[in-house]
Amino acid sequence: ITLKGNDLLIGTCGFYAFDEGFQRADIGYELLKAYWRQGIMSEALSAILTFAFTTMGLYRIDAVVYAWNERSQGILRKLGFTHEATLPQRYFFRDQLWDEYRFGLHKDEWQ
């Protein structure tokens, strides 16, 4: 992710864990803190989700988020993802155990 008209890298977004047989993939993303809350990540994710559903032929996209990352959960919900599962105490981070949240989005739910 770069700012329009600028080649400075400020973040990334993309797919991994492709499963062509089931027409699904996981989505991952990150953005430098200086650029949070400006709509940049929502715009970038919207673009790659459109590409995934219309060009790549995917039917389902999954996302994994730590319980403490409320901003990331908010972006996913804004884009139509649904919180589908909680894996309790899945990760040890910052000296404590954290839950992992799993979100999903189906092509027919995409706006």
Side-chain angles (χ1 to χ4, degrees), residues 7 10 18 36 40-41 47-48 51 58 69-71 75 78 83-85 95-96 98 108:
D7 289 337
I10 62 168
F18 287 95
W36 289 4
I40 295 168
M41 187 55 72
I48 69 168
F51 182 78
L58 296 182
N69 195 340
E70 294 176 9
R71 288 189 175 138
I75 289 171
K78 178 181 174 181
H83 178 209
E84 298 179 335
D95 294 325
Q96 61 183 2
W98 293 94
D108 56 4

Side-chain angles (χ1 to χ4, degrees), residues 14-28 45 48-65 76 79-87 100-110:
F15 299 107
Y16 63 98
F18 287 95
D19 189 332
E20 288 185 45
F22 290 105
Q23 298 175 314
R24 63 155 306 279
D26 289 357
I27 194 169
L45 292 178
I48 69 168
L49 288 169
T50 298
F51 182 78
F53 291 133
T54 62
T55 304
M56 296 175 66
L58 296 182
Y59 178 74
R60 178 183 172 88
I61 308 292
D62 293 309
V64 174
V65 181
L76 292 172
L79 293 169
F81 281 80
T82 302
H83 178 209
E84 298 179 335
T86 299
L87 301 177
E100 174 186 282
Y101 293 165
R102 294 194 161 265
F103 286 78
L105 177 65
H106 298 111
K107 182 178 183 176
D108 56 4
E109 298 168 334
W110 176 239

